[in-house]
């Protein structure tokens, strides 16, 4: 069976087969990749133990599939086009041949610095091609990459480095984003005070901002590359990896505790991202694919990099931000490189929509053939604007639902094949078996229903474990409903069987398509010396989708409230990063708690949404009077 479905009838047939004979289905998909040795068994699974194994005992290296196997036919085609933050700086085009040479070189550099198969490497870099080289070089030599988004604080990086016990960090002096020069190496230096496991830091020069270089620990990327050149650039062989060897760790927030290290493995993740990229985007040879996500998030991992490269695509990597030097930057990039497929987030669409038609003037968007949306529910207004102003009514929009834990796209139209409806992720991909369950865990059959979204059968991209704590993986995803993977999302299925994701049903806020745990933000706020207690909820935000609303009880603070508010924001920035800063902070004297001490977030959510009537039953509260105070002070 070929990888790609060509029409809706075929979709229906293939979908049916994938449910009737899932193992045969996935085995046939897997035949489209290069294996050094085939599997003994397609699938072993036990959801009750959170155990899934795909393609047991198969051997492969994902970089051979992303790079080497394309060299003969596509060697001179650009693999990566890089657009710098500053439009005046020269862009870069890296062909598949060049990518092969670069990844080999960086792989050897990592080996020279003591990195071995199975070692964890933390990557904290700006969106420059060397970031992609570093990630792929880890995969080449069998090291496990843990990319941390450049917006996270030193404390967040330290937590992630410690959790994974990383030995090596790859970073840059600094990075450019819009008018900002982000001091990456300084942040790493602060983080490493707490990280004795790290023996080596490799620093790429990008901004050439002054940095401290510690003897014996820190070295320059460029010097290390020179050493590889002096060795005569030996070919870095692709390490044979077991299908279930770990490929990477990516941290993501949940409703409790610190972020979890989601683990993906080599074989299944490769099959999942390559297959979904080809089908969802209906990628045609030669097309330019522009995914606007940062490689620090799963979308950047799975589609900007792995999925696109697995299909021999040309992938566009953009260092900057959509609104600098002006709000026409995306459209200028589409015009400049004749982008065919644009994959972005509703929050970006809504923000650019706000600038009106002016930024679109003089930009030729006629190269676009397909559009994609990811990360959060897309409202109808944004969908229509995207469709009309950007797609000119002729580009199918794929609203792709998936998660860090799913590895790849799960529910989405196939571009130009599945009839679309604004706001609907539509239908599951073949191989994916979603279901809706009620609060008793019973599956809700039929159409025109809603419930909590689960997946009842494994797929190759499923999370394998949470790094260092398998029990946490089991309780988080596999214990809420028996024998099902629970997504944490609410969802409806309409009369046509189309799925519409309505948002998280747990204590996770989706801010601009990024997951933030309320508990994490509360912990950060509570670190402020004047704070006694806090409660954080999400509320609808015109651009970000959801904003962060914090209710804070202060101790006997002598400070001005506005200053304290700013100090709290600074504290959160220090502990997590600027992305977790509350949009609103309301000081309160108490929180609505039940007699057993549980905060009634339902009430806080309603008030944050601007609802002051219909707060539901408040009679079980310890002190119902706090509700009146909270309502009166609502921001
Ligand atoms: C959560 C996953 C998937 C990569 C980016 C985010 C929400 C994601 C959609 C969509 C409605 C969506 C869900 C999901 N979400 N895509 N098309 N429609 N909601 O990855 O950080 O792991 O977050 O994002 O709530 O659970 P993530």
């Amino acid at each position: 069976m070929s990888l790609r479905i060509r029409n809706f009838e075929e979709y229906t047939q293939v979908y049916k087969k994938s449910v009737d004979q899932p193992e045969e289905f996935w085995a046939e998909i897997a035949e489209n990749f290069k294996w050094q040795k085939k599997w003994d068994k397609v699938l072993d699974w036990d959801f009750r133990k959170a155990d899934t194994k795909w393609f047991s005992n198969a051997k492969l290296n994902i970089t051979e599939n992303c790079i080497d196997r394309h060299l003969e036919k596509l060697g001179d085609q650009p693999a990566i086009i890089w657009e710098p933050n500053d439009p005046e700086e020269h862009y870069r085009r890296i062909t598949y041949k060049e990518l092969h040479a670069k990844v080999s070189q960086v792989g050897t550099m990592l080996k020279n610095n003591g990195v071995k198969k199975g070692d964890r490497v933390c990557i904290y870099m700006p969106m420059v091609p060397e970031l992609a080289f570093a990630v792929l070089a880890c995969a080449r030599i069998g090291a496990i990459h843990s990319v941390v988004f450049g917006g996270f604080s030193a404390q967040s990086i330290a937590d992630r480095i410690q959790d994974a016990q990383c030995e090596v960090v790859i970073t840059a002096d600094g990075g450019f984003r819009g008018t900002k020069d982000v001091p990456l190496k300084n942040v790493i230096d602060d983080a490493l005070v707490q990280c004795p496991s790290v023996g080596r830091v490799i620093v790429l020069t990008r901004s050439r901002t002054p940095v401290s270089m510690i003897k014996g620990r820190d070295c320059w990327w460029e010097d290390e590359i020179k050493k590889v050149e002096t060795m005569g650039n030996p070919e870095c062989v692709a390490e044979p990896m077991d299908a279930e060897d770990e490929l990477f760790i990516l941290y993501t927030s949940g409703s409790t505790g610190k972020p979890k290290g989601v683990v993906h493995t080599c074989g299944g993740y490769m099959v999942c991202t390559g297959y979904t990229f080809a089908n969802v985007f209906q990628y045609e040879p030669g097309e330019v694919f522009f995914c606007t996500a940062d490689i620090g998030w799963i979308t950047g991992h799975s589609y900007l990099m792995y999925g696109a490269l697995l299909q021999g695509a040309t992938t566009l990597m953009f260092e900057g931000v959509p609104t600098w030097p002006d709000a026409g930057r995306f459209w200028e990039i589409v015009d400049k490189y004749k982008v065919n497929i644009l994959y972005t987030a509703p929050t970006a669409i809504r923000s650019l929509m706000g600038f009106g038609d002016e930024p679109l003037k003089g930009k030729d968007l006629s190269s676009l053939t397909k559009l994609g949306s990811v990360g959060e529910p897309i409202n109808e207004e944004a969908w229509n604007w995207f469709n009309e102003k950007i797609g000119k009514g002729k580009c199918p929009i794929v609203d792709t639902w998936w998660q860090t834990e799913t590895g790849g796209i799960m529910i989405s139209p196939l571009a130009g094949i599945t009839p679309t409806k604004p706001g609907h992720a539509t239908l599951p991909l073949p191989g994916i078996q979603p279901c809706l369950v009620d609060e008793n865990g019973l599956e809700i059959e039929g159409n025109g229903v809603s419930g909590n979204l689960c997946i009842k059968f494994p797929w190759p991209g499923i999370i394998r474990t949470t790094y260092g704590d398998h029990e946490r993986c089991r309780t988080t995803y596999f214990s809420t409903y028996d024998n099902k993977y629970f997504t944490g999302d609410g969802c409806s299925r309409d009369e046509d069987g189309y799925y519409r994701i309505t948002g998280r049903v747990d204590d996770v806020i989706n801010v601009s398509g990024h997951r933030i745990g309320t508990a994490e933000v509360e912990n950060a706020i509570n670190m402020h010396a004047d704070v006694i207690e806090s409660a954080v909820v999400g509320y609808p935000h015109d651009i970000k989708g959801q904003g962060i609303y914090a209710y804070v009880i202060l101790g006997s603070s002598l400070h001005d409230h506005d200053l304290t508010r700013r100090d709290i924001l600074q504290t959160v920035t220090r502990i997590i990063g600027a992305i977790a800063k509350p949009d609103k902070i309301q000081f309160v004297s108490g929180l609505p708690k039940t007699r057993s001490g549980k905060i009634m977030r339902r009430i806080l959510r309603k008030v944050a949404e601007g609802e002051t009537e219909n707060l539901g039953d408040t009679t079980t509260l310890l002190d119902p009077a706090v509700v009146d105070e909270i309502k009166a002070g609502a921001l």
Side-chain angles (χ1 to χ4, degrees):
M1 187 172 63
S2 99
L3 200 65
R4 203 171 130 192
I5 292 159
R6 302 275 171 174
N7 55 57
F8 196 67
E9 196 192 336
E10 194 186 341
Y11 162 78
T12 318
Q13 284 165 4
V14 175
Y15 187 79
K16 186 170 181 314
K17 170 172 177 166
S18 79
V19 175
D20 295 342
Q21 299 174 289
E23 296 174 29
E24 289 78 353
F25 166 78
W26 284 113
E28 284 177 32
I29 295 294
E31 292 290 348
N32 290 277
F33 297 84
K34 178 173 185 248
W35 302 86
Q36 296 172 354
K37 175 180 170 285
K38 290 276 167 67
W39 48 91
D40 297 335
K41 197 166 177 216
V42 179
L43 171 65
D44 262 312
W45 67 295
D46 184 350
F47 272 180
R48 294 192 177 99
K49 292 189 180 143
D51 286 337
T52 317
K53 284 196 183 75
W54 281 94
F55 312 116
S56 282
N57 296 322
K59 296 278 183 199
L60 76 146
N61 188 290
I62 195 168
T63 68
E64 271 192 325
N65 281 271
C66 288
I67 309 171
D68 304 49
R69 70 170 170 153
H70 303 316
L71 288 178
E72 203 182 315
K73 279 196 185 144
L74 305 174
D76 296 318
Q77 184 200 286
I80 299 175
I81 296 174
W82 176 70
E83 167 73 3
N85 179 59
D86 183 347
E88 303 288 302
E89 190 183 337
H90 212 283
Y91 66 89
R92 289 165 67 183
R93 241 182 246 273
I94 296 122
T95 65
Y96 272 94
K97 271 188 199 151
E98 287 161 347
L99 182 62
H100 180 258
K102 292 288 187 191
V103 170
S104 183
Q105 211 176 36
V106 178
T108 306
M109 166 176 94
L110 292 177
K111 284 190 190 167
N112 286 349
N113 281 279
V115 182
K116 302 177 303 298
K117 180 174 180 173
D119 288 354
R120 277 82 51 226
V121 175
C122 173
I123 302 180
Y124 186 68
M125 289 177 81
M127 280 284 282
V128 293
E130 283 73 14
L131 163 56
F133 305 160
V135 170
L136 293 165
C138 286
R140 185 96 177 158
I141 67 169
I144 301 165
H145 54 80
S146 168
V147 183
V148 177
F149 173 62
F152 280 114
S153 69
Q155 184 60 51
S156 294
I157 300 164
D159 290 344
R160 286 157 173 77
I161 290 176
Q162 286 170 348
D163 186 75
Q165 287 293 298
C166 296
E167 284 98 345
V168 172
V169 174
I170 310 177
T171 187
D173 45 5
F176 302 119
R177 278 176 66 77
T179 54
K180 287 199 209 103
D181 178 349
V182 190
L184 299 168
K185 174 63 162 67
N186 282 333
V187 180
I188 287 291
D189 287 336
D190 288 344
L192 293 191
V193 172
Q194 306 177 50
C195 302
S197 65
V198 174
R200 175 72 77 226
V201 181
I202 302 172
V203 187
L204 177 82
T205 59
R206 172 67 187 128
S207 64
R208 235 17 225 115
T209 188
V211 293
S212 78
M213 292 293 281
I214 304 297
K215 192 180 292 167
R217 186 192 74 182
D218 300 352
C219 59
W220 293 108
W221 171 290
E222 291 77 8
D223 293 347
E224 296 306 300
I225 290 290
K226 279 225 178 71
K227 289 181 195 163
V228 181
E229 286 166 355
T230 313
M231 293 162 68
N233 282 322
E235 161 87 19
C236 176
V237 290
E239 186 73 30
M241 302 296 286
D242 194 277
E244 283 298 332
D245 278 342
E246 292 171 353
L247 175 64
F248 67 85
I249 307 169
L250 186 60
Y251 286 83
T252 190
S253 297
S255 45
T256 54
K258 287 195 171 163
K260 301 174 282 275
V262 173
V263 172
H264 286 289
T265 56
C266 297
Y269 180 79
M270 170 179 77
V271 170
C272 176
T273 53
Y275 157 75
T276 52
F277 179 82
N279 276 295
V280 171
F281 300 108
Q282 291 288 305
Y283 182 79
E284 293 288 349
E287 284 187 324
V288 176
F289 177 75
F290 178 18
C291 167
T292 67
D294 193 286
I295 289 180
W297 308 107
I298 192 69
T299 309
H301 280 60
S302 298
Y303 296 104
L304 193 162
M305 282 198 316
Y306 286 115
L309 297 175
L310 283 165
Q311 296 305 332
T314 296
T315 185
L316 199 152
M317 182 175 183
F318 173 41
E319 184 185 32
V321 296
T323 48
W324 190 81
D326 59 58
R329 191 66 192 277
F330 276 3
W331 323 129
E332 195 182 303
I333 294 173
V334 169
D335 189 346
K336 182 169 173 188
Y337 300 104
K338 304 292 165 232
V339 169
N340 304 109
I341 309 172
L342 174 65
Y343 190 32
T344 192
T347 186
I349 299 169
R350 286 190 297 264
S351 134
L352 296 175
M353 193 168 88
F355 289 90
D357 290 352
E358 190 57 33
L360 285 160
K361 287 210 178 110
K363 312 280 163 44
D364 178 6
L365 305 183
S366 63
S367 56
L368 288 171
T369 56
K370 286 154 271 190
L371 302 173
S373 164
V374 61
E376 40 165 335
I378 178 164
N379 49 308
E380 221 161 296
E381 196 192 355
W383 197 99
N384 289 329
W385 185 85
F386 201 32
N387 182 40
E388 285 155 28
K389 299 287 178 178
I390 307 306
K392 316 288 182 197
K394 66 173 178 58
C395 301
I397 298 178
V398 290
D399 176 358
T400 63
W401 175 84
W402 57 296
Q403 308 179 297
T404 303
E405 294 87 343
T406 70
I409 297 169
M410 303 285 281
I411 304 180
S412 167
L414 309 183
I417 292 178
T418 314
T420 56
K421 275 184 213 179
H424 290 71
T426 74
L427 300 170
L429 264 65
I432 307 303
Q433 299 186 36
C435 65
L436 302 180
V437 292
D438 65 18
E439 56 272 32
N440 301 316
L442 291 177
E443 191 174 334
I444 307 166
E445 311 271 354
N447 289 340
V449 293
S450 58
N452 286 348
L453 179 63
C454 292
I455 316 289
K456 56 184 178 183
F457 195 85
W459 64 100
I462 190 173
I463 177 175
R464 295 306 194 278
T465 193
T466 45
Y467 195 84
D469 189 353
H470 193 63
E471 179 57 14
R472 189 165 177 207
C473 176
R474 196 190 63 79
T475 51
T476 309
Y477 305 106
F478 299 94
S479 71
T480 316
Y481 301 108
D482 180 46
N483 210 18
K484 290 181 179 71
Y485 167 83
F486 176 43
T487 64
D489 281 323
C491 180
S492 65
R493 187 169 53 219
D494 73 7
E495 295 304 336
D496 297 324
Y498 274 34
Y499 289 84
R500 192 173 71 84
I501 314 301
T502 46
R504 304 288 305 193
V505 294
D506 53 7
D507 291 322
V508 170
I509 314 180
N510 190 327
V511 183
S512 304
H514 302 310
R515 248 199 271 179
I516 315 252
T518 50
E520 251 183 287
V521 183
E522 288 164 7
N523 287 339
I525 293 173
N526 296 349
M527 307 260 302
H528 185 283
D530 291 342
V531 171
I532 293 190
E533 199 183 358
S534 64
V536 164
V537 295
Y539 72 98
H541 187 286
D542 285 346
I543 296 200
K544 301 179 185 182
Q546 279 191 296
I548 304 178
Y549 195 118
Y551 298 89
V552 175
I553 305 175
L554 288 182
S556 53
S557 166
L558 299 173
H559 305 281
D560 171 80
H561 269 188
D562 277 336
L563 272 177
T564 305
R565 209 175 256 122
R566 277 150 62 188
D567 290 345
I568 290 174
L569 294 180
Q570 192 56 30
T571 310
V572 174
T573 305
R574 276 266 167 217
I575 302 299
I576 306 175
I579 48 171
K581 276 196 297 196
D583 299 276
K584 294 181 179 179
I585 297 177
Q586 180 183 349
F587 293 118
V588 294
S589 66
L591 291 166
K593 288 188 179 174
T594 62
R595 285 188 190 88
S596 62
K598 203 171 149 325
I599 296 173
M600 289 190 76
R601 287 168 188 281
R602 173 174 56 81
I603 294 173
L604 295 177
R605 258 185 235 121
K606 286 233 159 126
V607 174
E609 282 164 17
E611 170 85 59
T612 47
E613 308 298 311
N614 310 321
L615 292 184
D617 185 12
T618 54
T619 54
T620 56
L621 287 179
L622 192 61
D623 177 12
V626 297
V627 177
D628 294 324
E629 182 212 309
I630 286 174
K631 280 199 294 198
L635 299 170

